[in-house]
């Protein structure tokens, strides 16, 4: 038995059971958590990323992405590597990625679609990752220089992050 040290009135707690997918579109988000796990078959590795939406009415909602970055299926591995590259470019990371924590708490733009899953119903799928308008340019690019004509076309204006996060870790400016 564990003493809670306080009384929690469970009769006054409302449960948010909103598990509906977010509407398709672009969102300002950040990687809030990550983990590496083996594939079910034990033949590869998956980078599991948890994104948190930072703006609009969906602020605080989470979206998950599993990337088969080490997989015997070359196509699955290539797709994962391409998405990792997009995420790294969007947050301004260059070089060799050895720890996914360097991607945490850095705002980026994500494009979500809604996919109908025959087993689980509708769910979100992440299709594109890009830098925030006015944010850090991709590695090797000068400020104001777009990495591609498409990125230049989809710039748009960025919403402000929630107070206290300032695009960094929510608990403060602890060194990485």
């Amino acid at each position: 038995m564990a003493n809670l040290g306080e009384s929690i009135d469970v009769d006054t707690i409302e449960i948010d059971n909103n598990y509906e997918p977010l509407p398709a579109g672009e969102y300002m988000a950040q990687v809030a958590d990550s983990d590496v796990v083996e594939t079910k078959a034990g033949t590869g590795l998956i980078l599991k990323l948890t994104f948190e939406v930072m703006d609009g009415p969906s602020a605080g909602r989470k979206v998950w992405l599993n990337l088969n970055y080490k997989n015997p299926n070359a196509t699955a591995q290539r797709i994962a590597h391409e998405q990792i590259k997009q995420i790294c470019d969007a947050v301004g990371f260059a070089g060799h990625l050895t720890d996914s924590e360097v991607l945490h708490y850095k705002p980026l733009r994500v494009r979500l679609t809604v996919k109908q899953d025959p087993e689980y119903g509708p769910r979100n799928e992440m299709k594109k990752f890009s830098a925030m308008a006015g944010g850090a340019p991709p590695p090797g690019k000068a400020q104001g220089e777009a990495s591609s004509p498409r990125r230049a076309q989809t710039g748009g204006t960025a919403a402000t992050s929630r107070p206290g996060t300032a695009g960094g870790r929510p608990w403060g400016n602890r060194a990485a």
Side-chain angles (χ1 to χ4, degrees):
M1 177 162 72
N3 186 340
L4 298 179
E6 64 180 78
S7 174
I8 300 172
D9 184 359
V10 296
D11 294 330
T12 63
I13 299 172
E14 291 185 35
I15 298 174
D16 180 10
N17 286 326
N18 185 4
Y19 299 112
E20 293 297 315
L22 295 171
E26 289 199 4
Y27 294 85
M28 181 170 91
Q30 63 185 358
V31 176
D33 194 23
S34 60
D35 195 15
V36 173
V37 298
E38 279 192 0
T39 59
K40 287 180 187 176
T43 58
L45 295 171
I46 298 172
L47 174 60
K48 298 175 80 117
L49 298 175
T50 302
F51 287 80
E52 181 180 4
V53 175
M54 299 174 66
D55 64 348
S58 300
R61 292 276 307 267
K62 292 187 173 27
V63 184
W64 294 270
L65 177 66
N66 294 333
L67 298 165
N68 290 291
Y69 74 94
K70 185 174 181 185
N71 196 288
N73 180 318
T75 302
Q77 184 169 302
R78 178 187 51 78
I79 291 168
H81 286 198
E82 288 172 359
Q83 288 183 310
I84 289 169
K85 168 70 170 149
Q86 281 186 36
I87 294 166
C88 288
D89 283 352
V91 301
F93 179 82
H96 295 268
L97 182 66
T98 58
D99 188 337
S100 60
E101 190 170 341
V102 300
L103 306 174
H104 290 200
Y105 304 108
K106 295 179 178 164
L108 70 155
R109 239 334 127 198
V110 299
R111 179 175 296 152
L112 299 180
T113 61
V114 178
K115 180 180 179 180
Q116 187 64 37
D117 186 300
E119 188 175 346
Y120 300 107
R123 66 177 181 87
N124 283 123
E125 200 169 82
M126 293 186 168
K127 290 292 187 182
K128 183 180 177 186
F129 309 89
S130 56
M132 297 298 301
K141 299 290 181 183
Q143 190 73 333
E145 180 186 350
S147 64
S148 71
R150 187 154 173 82
R151 179 170 283 152
Q153 293 171 358
T154 60
T157 57
T160 319
S161 66
R162 288 184 289 176
T165 61
R169 291 187 166 106
W171 56 84
N173 291 329
R174 191 174 86 184

